[in-house]
Amino acid sequence: MYEASEWRREGDTIRRTVAARDFRTAIAIVNDIAEQAEALNHHPDIDIRWRTLHLALTTHDAGGLTDLDYKLAARIDAIVADHEAESPQP
């Protein structure tokens, strides 16, 4: 099972916040995530606030987290790294 420090667990959901350098990059990240989500047939909740993305993963039909959530989380981490985005500072 994939676990990364950038993702935090809240009940049956894992969450991550990402800050892109600008709005266009944030949208590019969302587009890349959409491609991976379609390939896996597993879709995250994404909230876009200017250049900040709030991501949430859970498997609704399984009633919680599955390997698919962690697989998509790993792919999202790679996308975020490719776009040189990062977790915002607290």
Side-chain angles (χ1 to χ4, degrees):
M1 182 176 293
Y2 173 82
E3 291 190 38
S5 62
E6 301 296 332
W7 292 88
R8 67 187 184 285
R9 185 171 179 162
E10 293 180 5
D12 291 331
T13 303
I14 55 173
R15 298 180 183 278
R16 179 174 182 190
T17 299
V18 175
R21 69 179 160 268
D22 54 35
F23 184 71
R24 283 182 190 237
T25 303
I27 297 304
I29 292 168
V30 170
N31 287 334
D32 289 351
I33 291 171
E35 291 296 323
Q36 292 300 312
E38 285 294 304
L40 292 173
N41 193 30
H42 190 64
H43 304 90
D45 292 332
I46 303 173
D47 179 40
I48 305 167
R49 306 291 173 155
W50 181 43
R51 63 183 197 97
T52 303
L53 307 174
H54 301 280
L55 307 162
L57 292 168
T58 192
T59 304
H60 297 286
D61 58 351
L65 293 167
T66 66
D67 287 340
L68 200 51
D69 297 299
Y70 294 101
K71 186 174 191 174
L72 184 54
R75 291 186 183 189
I76 290 171
D77 287 347
I79 291 165
V80 168
D82 286 347
H83 287 280
E84 299 178 353
E86 57 189 30
S87 295
Q89 299 301 317

